Amino acid sequence: QVQLVESGGGSVEAGGSLRLSCACSGNTFRSYRMAWFRQAPGTEREAVAHISTGGASTLYANSVKGRFTISRDNAKNTLYLQMNSLKPEDTAMYSCAAGPWRPDYNWDRSSHYVYWGQGTQVTVSS
């Protein structure tokens, strides 16, 4: 059983930075594609960023491209999301997700991820 635990959320002013972490239990972390999703109250869950198993390939939502960076350390079983130039519209609950390979994989489809963390709140004030 895989458990994901996020940390690093908090409250910052617009223009500030935060670094989220997602610790993965067990020794299967390196076999999973990983992603960050976010959800603000009253909105649908939104895919933010994705990283391949080895970390060589990354994908981002247009809304965060150039400001957020996803990375992973397979030796530490940890996923990261560096968030710079934060905006009030980035305010949401951020969750990490792990997904095994599948032939019809779509990185931004939440149903294609099997394991989820409990989330960490990010609040950006103007």
Side-chain angles (χ1 to χ4, degrees), residues 41-123:
T43 68
E44 293 186 356
R45 182 181 287 170
E46 173 190 19
V48 175
H50 168 273
I51 190 166
S52 59
T53 54
S57 176
T58 57
L59 294 167
Y60 297 92
N62 287 334
S63 58
V64 307
K65 200 172 295 184
R67 300 188 297 121
F68 290 12
T69 302
I70 189 171
S71 62
R72 65 191 297 165
D73 187 334
N74 285 345
K76 295 182 178 180
N77 290 350
T78 304
L79 175 74
Y80 303 100
L81 185 68
Q82 178 66 43
M83 305 186 296
N84 299 328
S85 302
L86 282 162
K87 305 176 181 180
E89 52 263 43
D90 294 319
T91 295
M93 181 72 75
Y94 284 71
S95 299
C96 61
W101 181 87
R102 52 186 291 168
D104 61 340
Y105 191 85
N106 285 313
W107 78 273
D108 58 354
R109 187 168 296 179
S110 60
S111 61
H112 286 191
Y113 295 87
V114 176
Y115 301 105
W116 291 82
Q118 82 290 346
T120 184
Q121 179 67 37
V122 171
T123 302

Side-chain angles (χ1 to χ4, degrees), residues 4-75:
L4 303 174
V5 179
E6 301 95 336
S7 61
S11 297
V12 296
E13 294 186 349
S17 298
L18 283 174
R19 189 193 196 201
L20 306 184
S21 298
C22 171
C24 179
S25 66
N27 58 1
T28 57
F29 177 73
R30 65 182 66 244
S31 67
Y32 290 110
R33 302 181 184 195
M34 300 295 297
W36 288 97
F37 283 76
R38 67 185 181 185
Q39 187 169 22
T43 68
E44 293 186 356
R45 182 181 287 170
E46 173 190 19
V48 175
H50 168 273
I51 190 166
S52 59
T53 54
S57 176
T58 57
L59 294 167
Y60 297 92
N62 287 334
S63 58
V64 307
K65 200 172 295 184
R67 300 188 297 121
F68 290 12
T69 302
I70 189 171
S71 62
R72 65 191 297 165
D73 187 334
N74 285 345

